[in-house]
Amino acid sequence: MSRWSVVEPVIARMLVVALSAGVLAAAAGPAAAETAAGYVHNAQTYLQQGKIRAAIIEAKNALQMNPDDGEARAALGEAYLRAGQAEGAEHELQRARKLGAPRQTWLLTLGKAYLVRHKPKQVLDEVKPQDDDAPLLRARIRAERSMAWLMQGKRKKAQAALDDALKEASDDPDVLVAAARFYASAGDAKKATQYIKQAIEANPKDLDAWLLHAGMLRSQHQYHDALNAYEKAVEAAPESLAAHFGKAMMLVATGQDAQARAQMEALKRTAGKTPIYQYLNAVIAFREKHYDTAVASLQRVLRDLPNHMPSHLLLGIVSYRQGHLESAESNLSTYLAAEPKQLPAAKLLAATRLKLKDPGGALSVLTPFVQDHPKDAQLLALAGTAYLKNHEYERGVTLLKRAAEIAPDVASIRAQLALGFLGMGNVEQAATDLASAVDMGKAPVQTDVLLVLVRMVQKQYDKAIDAAQALAKKEPKSPLPENLLSAAYLGKGDRVSARRHLNRALEIDPKYVAARINLAQLDVSEGKPKAARAQYERVLKDKPGQLKALLGLAELADRSGQHGEALKLVKQAADANPDALAPVVLLTRYYLARGETDKALAVSQAMVQKYPDKPIVLTLSAAAQLANGDAANAIGTYQHLSALNPKAPGPYLLLARAYVKDNDIDGARRSIQAALKAKPEFEPALLMLGDLEFGQGRLAEAGAASKKLQKLYPKSPGGYRLQGDIDRKNGDYQSAVAAYRRAYDTRPSAVAAVRLASTQEQAGNHEGAIRSLRDWLKQRPTDLAPRLMLAGIYQNHGKVEDAIREYEQVHTQSPTNVIALNNLAWLYLQQGSDKAVKYAQKAHELAPQRPEVTDTLGWILVQHGDTERGLRLIQDAAVHAPQILGIRYHLAVALQAAGHREQARKELQRLLRSGKDFAEKADAKKLLQRIEASN
């Protein structure tokens, strides 16, 4: 398709509007005027000679002498019309009528002014034949009425009026031109051309005939012949703007831009303010890529003629070229609403909407055309792309396949088809189509890049390297291929080559951000934070505020424990990149992770205001609402999230969790069922449903979900884990152990190991529990939860040395772990070690609000003779946790040791009267007996 295919309809319609009218005849030169009548006579003579400016001057001279001269007004009106000033012509001709000028001097010209201004109703209401009209006048009136009926779409009435006109004056040029226009509008070019030739034979100087002839040739893309016809029109009427503008237009169409510009410059003084001049000036400026000039001219046209569709179209095209997509969308939509069958405009509007990320809007434009144009590869490819972006991959691929069959050598279609296969998850076919597109040698660089990336997704790193090297040959001065080569070598595990290619990219372009960022990330992965920081800082030196560099520095600060600095850098990234989501997402997550829920909510709500339909924004906003205890609003947010993509099951599960938080179990169940409706047999939904039923004590329903999961997903742990939960709830620990073992073997994890070991412990298989935990810790020695459980099992079974060893390991990995510190204090107390006090004090410093920690320190101090301080601590622990009977026993012992025997006796009596069991119950009875015996 040529680049002019979209612009040509604009040219055709604009020049029809520009047609001027009038019968020209040879006449003698004007006589010297001494009266108003003389000036009028001179004006009429100049009109016959085609000297429009002179006619205007003479008519105005007459009106200076007599402003109420109707014939002068009529002459001025006709001159204005021929000059392309239809509005001024209409005004003057209406005044001529009111002043009583002879009917024949203004009637036909006023009708033509109405037609030029698209006022067919006024023609039909005001331009009517009368009985006493001469036959020629009646014929011309009927010809004008025929054109008015045609404008209203009433072809039968137009035909009847035209037939009457031809009966009365079959050889009159005006009537013949009207007939030519009628048949041209009906698509009968042969008959229209026949009438045009008759009109020209009748009057070789007939301007309208030549203009219409030129216009028809132009619409048939016979531009050189059209140019010759416009030159004939210029000869017939040297001052006709329509003729001159038509000639200029054809000079543009035939590539003679310099001659067209010269002609426009010659017309500028006399016609520079007219809409047609401004429009044609915009066309030429557009051809010369002077887009700002084109826009300025088109805006002037639309100020005067707001409904001038060709200007809307061209302004849409120019705006698209400039990247002003909102303006392009507005103008192209306006044009297409008026001209709904213009396919090129529809394609451009659809392309604009795709760039505006509105694939649904693009499809609404394209769909009506697809059935009528089944062989238009460009149309099919555009519609297919819109379907892909609308996540309707199968429909998109179907259309793109048809487009590729029609145009097998178009690389861009093949590349787009590859994207469709990627969306469907068919990576192999996507790679095949991308390779085909690249092999055609006409694909854009993005296709080569995508091929490299797809090869890496396939883990075919050698093929990725080959594709990147091919791109490097095409683009030897670009750092991009080197960056891609680095990624491919990194995929192979060859860090040395990866680093070499990144350095090569920076040799080509030292300011290439992507390579420097990747070098920094490579340094981080290799444990070189100082080198990574230097790379990020170099990026920021060249590009202050660069998003990835600031976030990279923030990550380094966070890893080194500088949380305040990390937060500062993330905020800096957000301030420097106000439209970027990443920093505000990190801020929200940061606040949520640290329990600063009010700040998380404030940041997330600001995000929602800016990005009301972004899934990640809505997800974080709802999480912040839940963290603040606002389950009701979180439910509303998740409902909005699920409504954005009702075919996606994930949002329904988030909504279900919010319902659970709100204690609306029925709502949670409905949401899970909605997820299963969107995607039947969706594993996470089945698992959540089973857990929900289990939590409600509906063990039979939970069991059914477990069996279904095991059947559908035998290699996934969820169904076995759920079965283990059910068996343990029923007290069948052996069966639970077997289920948990299958879950662990299917997908080993720290959580699964802890669950299995705790159930083995419940089943009395202590050695099995220890073995399960130690097996996991061989693989992941830094996992704290399994090691804490292992230490606890050793402690519970009196294996003090083993327990101390494990707790010390936890303490080494996590010096602030309060559980390890507290239990180490107890164990060292049993050994009589002074370390007991040190660990107990450290635990209390970290968690002074925890009663069991306070009790530990107090008890150890009492055992070490610091009775007064120990008693105060134990009393505080007992106040905050009176339900822990062990603490109350310690309180009684401390009271007795401090000499408060009566208080100790009462505390022991209350403790034993509770009837509850506790580890020190026997010791409590003995102590009470000793106290009572001593009284």
Side-chain angles (χ1 to χ4, degrees):
M1 183 180 71
S2 102
R3 58 177 175 162
W4 279 101
S5 60
V6 176
V7 177
E8 280 306 315
V10 180
I11 300 170
R13 289 188 59 82
M14 183 59 198
L15 292 182
V16 169
V17 176
L19 292 174
S20 58
V23 179
L24 304 180
E34 297 180 357
T35 64
Y39 284 121
V40 171
H41 174 76
N42 288 345
Q44 292 169 342
T45 301
Y46 283 129
L47 283 172
Q48 290 173 347
Q49 295 174 349
K51 299 178 179 178
I52 310 303
R53 290 193 295 275
I56 291 173
I57 293 170
E58 292 296 298
K60 287 183 175 180
N61 286 339
L63 289 171
Q64 282 183 349
M65 298 184 69
N66 181 8
D68 294 331
D69 190 323
E71 291 192 44
R73 294 284 175 193
L76 182 58
E78 184 173 349
Y80 277 156
L81 183 62
R82 294 198 192 183
Q85 302 174 40
E87 184 176 2
E90 180 184 329
H91 175 73
E92 294 297 334
L93 293 163
Q94 286 175 341
R95 290 189 66 182
R97 178 174 59 184
K98 290 177 182 178
L99 291 169
R103 188 163 173 269
Q104 65 272 17
T105 63
W106 55 263
L107 183 64
L108 291 172
T109 314
L110 179 58
K112 287 174 181 175
Y114 284 147
L115 290 173
V116 170
R117 300 196 67 206
H118 292 271
K119 293 182 175 183
K121 186 176 184 302
Q122 284 87 332
V123 174
L124 296 171
D125 290 344
E126 300 174 23
V127 184
K128 299 178 180 179
Q130 295 179 357
D131 292 340
D132 57 348
D133 285 337
L136 182 58
L137 178 58
R138 277 201 309 272
R140 290 177 177 175
I141 290 172
R142 285 172 173 147
E144 283 191 1
R145 292 175 64 81
S146 173
M147 293 299 97
W149 287 122
L150 194 60
M151 278 187 180
Q152 291 190 337
K154 297 177 181 179
R155 299 195 64 83
K156 287 185 178 180
K157 290 187 175 182
Q159 178 80 66
L162 179 60
D163 289 344
D164 288 342
L166 287 168
K167 286 177 185 176
E168 291 189 292
S170 61
D171 57 352
D172 179 64
D174 280 8
V175 175
L176 291 168
V177 168
R181 285 178 182 161
F182 177 86
Y183 287 107
S185 70
D188 190 342
K190 183 177 180 181
K191 205 162 188 179
T193 302
Q194 174 187 331
Y195 279 112
I196 290 172
K197 288 181 178 179
Q198 289 180 29
I200 292 172
E201 287 174 4
N203 181 8
K205 295 292 186 180
D206 190 293
L207 175 63
D208 283 358
W210 282 115
L211 289 175
L212 184 57
H213 186 40
M216 287 191 64
L217 291 168
R218 183 193 61 248
S219 67
Q220 295 165 6
H221 305 295
Q222 299 179 38
Y223 298 134
H224 288 284
D225 291 339
L227 177 58
N228 292 334
Y230 279 122
E231 287 175 343
K232 292 288 186 180
V234 170
E235 292 175 10
E239 294 185 21
S240 167
L241 292 180
H244 283 287
F245 284 131
K247 179 180 177 181
M249 189 66 73
M250 288 305 96
L251 288 169
V252 171
T254 54
Q256 302 178 64
D257 291 357
Q259 295 92 321
R261 174 60 67 194
Q263 180 150 353
M264 290 294 291
E265 287 299 319
L267 290 168
K268 186 174 183 179
R269 186 175 62 84
T270 56
K273 294 183 179 180
T274 62
I276 190 172
Y277 175 91
Q278 294 297 335
Y279 176 73
L280 186 53
N281 189 58
V283 171
I284 296 173
F286 171 75
R287 281 287 298 268
E288 296 171 344
K289 297 184 179 180
H290 297 157
Y291 296 137
D292 289 341
T293 300
V295 169
S297 292
L298 290 168
Q299 287 173 341
R300 291 189 191 102
V301 174
L302 291 171
R303 275 199 299 268
D304 295 333
L305 300 173
N307 294 321
H308 187 246
M309 291 304 121
S311 290
H312 280 294
L313 176 57
L314 187 54
L315 186 54
I317 297 168
V318 176
S319 298
Y320 182 86
R321 289 275 183 92
Q322 289 182 302
H324 301 158
L325 299 178
E326 288 79 7
S327 173
E329 201 278 338
S330 175
N331 284 285
L332 291 169
S333 295
T334 300
Y335 175 80
L336 205 61
E339 299 288 343
K341 295 184 178 181
Q342 289 294 329
L343 177 57
K347 289 179 182 178
L348 190 57
L349 177 56
T352 303
R353 288 180 175 174
L354 285 176
K355 286 194 173 187
L356 287 168
K357 299 181 180 178
D358 180 16
L363 286 170
S364 69
V365 173
L366 295 173
T367 302
F369 290 94
V370 171
Q371 188 172 355
D372 294 335
H373 301 273
K375 299 294 185 182
D376 189 325
Q378 185 188 48
L379 171 63
L380 296 175
L382 201 55
T385 300
Y387 278 121
L388 295 187
K389 291 183 180 293
N390 210 39
H391 307 293
E392 298 180 67
Y393 296 109
E394 290 187 7
R395 297 181 74 175
V397 165
T398 299
L399 288 176
L400 285 162
K401 279 183 177 178
R402 284 168 53 191
E405 289 169 2
I406 296 166
D409 297 330
V410 178
S412 60
I413 294 177
R414 187 69 61 180
Q416 203 64 34
L417 181 58
L419 290 177
F421 282 118
L422 277 178
M424 293 173 68
N426 190 342
V427 179
E428 294 296 327
Q429 187 60 51
T432 299
D433 283 307
L434 283 170
S436 175
V438 170
D439 289 344
M440 289 177 188
K442 303 172 185 177
V445 169
Q446 292 89 332
T447 306
D448 295 76
V449 173
L450 189 57
L451 177 59
V452 176
L453 297 177
V454 168
R455 292 302 190 196
M456 285 196 283
V457 169
Q458 294 176 296
K459 300 188 184 304
Q460 296 179 359
Y461 298 114
D462 288 331
K463 288 186 177 181
I465 289 168
D466 291 342
Q469 287 173 338
L471 178 58
K473 290 179 182 178
K474 290 182 186 177
E475 303 285 336
K477 295 183 179 180
S478 171
L480 174 62
E482 299 296 331
N483 195 46
L484 291 171
L485 279 164
S486 169
Y489 277 111
L490 197 59
K492 289 184 70 174
D494 185 349
R495 292 174 173 272
V496 174
S497 295
R499 187 177 290 276
R500 184 177 72 252
H501 283 287
L502 287 174
N503 286 324
R504 170 63 183 146
L506 290 172
E507 288 173 10
I508 295 171
D509 182 359
K511 294 186 178 182
Y512 186 51
V513 169
R516 203 167 290 283
I517 294 288
N518 288 338
L519 263 180
Q521 292 173 345
L522 190 59
D523 287 332
V524 169
S525 69
E526 293 177 355
K528 302 174 183 176
K530 186 175 180 181
R533 187 175 292 107
Q535 294 290 359
Y536 286 135
E537 288 172 349
R538 170 63 190 273
V539 171
L540 292 172
K541 181 181 178 182
D542 293 333
K543 293 189 176 182
Q546 208 281 335
L547 180 62
K548 289 186 177 180
L550 286 169
L551 295 182
L553 285 175
E555 182 184 2
L556 288 174
D558 195 54
R559 287 188 180 192
S560 63
Q562 298 174 288
H563 304 306
E565 178 65 15
L567 180 60
K568 176 184 173 183
L569 286 163
V570 173
K571 287 181 176 178
Q572 186 180 342
D575 292 340
N577 303 273
D579 293 327
L581 266 178
V584 285
V585 166
L586 285 175
L587 274 178
T588 306
R589 287 175 174 162
Y590 177 92
Y591 289 134
L592 284 173
R594 284 157 180 76
E596 298 181 63
T597 57
D598 54 339
K599 292 181 179 178
L601 185 62
V603 173
S604 66
Q605 289 302 304
M607 277 198 298
V608 170
Q609 293 295 320
K610 198 167 187 179
Y611 305 102
D613 294 328
K614 287 278 187 183
I616 182 63
V617 171
L618 293 170
T619 302
L620 284 173
S621 176
Q625 288 165 336
L626 281 178
N628 280 276
D630 189 359
N633 274 321
I635 287 169
T637 303
Y638 282 135
Q639 285 173 334
H640 178 44
L641 178 64
S642 59
L644 287 175
N645 189 0
K647 294 182 180 180
Y652 293 116
L653 299 189
L654 294 173
L655 177 58
R657 292 192 181 100
Y659 276 125
V660 170
K661 284 275 189 181
D662 203 36
N663 295 315
D664 184 352
I665 302 304
D666 289 337
R669 192 176 283 112
R670 285 195 307 272
S671 295
I672 296 171
Q673 294 296 347
L676 290 170
K677 182 179 179 181
K679 187 175 182 181
E681 302 180 351
F682 184 47
E683 183 184 5
L686 289 170
L687 189 56
M688 185 183 289
L689 182 61
D691 286 336
L692 182 72
E693 301 298 11
F694 177 81
Q696 294 301 300
R698 292 157 56 96
L699 299 186
E701 289 80 358
S706 170
K707 287 181 175 60
K708 190 170 185 178
L709 282 162
Q710 291 177 51
K711 181 180 179 181
L712 291 171
Y713 303 101
K715 295 183 179 181
S716 188
Y720 307 119
R721 190 271 300 161
L722 180 57
Q723 186 62 54
D725 292 347
I726 296 167
D727 291 337
R728 187 165 62 176
K729 182 77 172 177
N730 287 326
D732 186 354
Y733 297 117
Q734 294 299 333
S735 295
V737 166
Y740 287 143
R741 169 62 69 186
R742 290 197 68 179
Y744 178 86
D745 289 343
T746 302
R747 189 179 299 160
S749 70
V751 172
V754 167
R755 187 181 289 113
L756 172 61
S758 67
T759 311
Q760 289 173 314
E761 179 76 0
Q762 283 181 297
N765 185 3
H766 311 306
E767 291 303 320
I770 290 170
R771 193 162 48 250
S772 295
L773 292 168
R774 295 195 68 82
D775 285 347
W776 175 255
L777 288 168
K778 286 177 184 177
Q779 303 174 54
R780 297 287 293 273
T782 59
D783 280 358
L784 295 182
R787 195 171 295 282
L788 278 170
M789 174 170 273
L790 178 61
I793 292 174
Y794 283 139
Q795 184 177 1
N796 292 338
H797 292 282
K799 298 181 178 181
V800 176
E801 292 293 339
D802 289 332
I804 287 175
R805 182 186 68 246
E806 299 303 328
Y807 281 130
E808 285 285 10
Q809 180 70 19
V810 172
H811 177 58
T812 300
Q813 292 175 219
S814 178
T816 59
N817 189 287
V818 172
I819 295 174
L821 290 166
N822 195 59
N823 290 350
L824 278 169
W826 277 107
L827 292 167
Y828 281 125
L829 177 65
Q830 291 178 35
Q831 288 189 332
S833 170
D834 291 340
K835 290 181 180 180
V837 175
K838 182 183 75 171
Y839 280 116
Q841 286 179 333
K842 180 64 174 176
H844 189 255
E845 288 171 8
L846 291 168
Q849 75 285 358
R850 291 174 63 171
E852 69 277 15
V853 173
T854 304
D855 170 67
T856 297
L857 177 58
W859 180 249
I860 291 173
L861 290 173
V862 169
Q863 301 302 309
H864 281 75
D866 193 349
T867 306
E868 183 177 349
R869 184 180 169 211
L871 175 59
R872 286 197 305 271
L873 288 166
I874 297 172
Q875 284 174 327
D876 180 65
V879 167
H880 287 92
Q883 76 282 1
I884 301 178
L885 302 187
I887 293 177
R888 289 171 59 187
Y889 167 71
H890 291 162
L891 175 60
V893 172
L895 287 168
Q896 193 270 343
H900 305 299
R901 297 169 63 84
E902 182 59 23
Q903 292 181 42
R905 184 180 66 81
K906 291 180 179 179
E907 183 62 38
L908 289 166
Q909 286 175 337
R910 285 194 296 270
L911 187 58
L912 293 169
R913 276 200 302 269
S914 70
K916 297 178 179 178
D917 289 330
F918 55 100
E920 302 91 343
K921 191 171 185 177
D923 292 336
K925 287 180 180 179
K926 290 178 184 178
L927 179 59
L928 179 59
Q929 289 171 358
R930 286 200 307 272
I931 292 173
E932 289 177 339
S934 65
N935 286 338

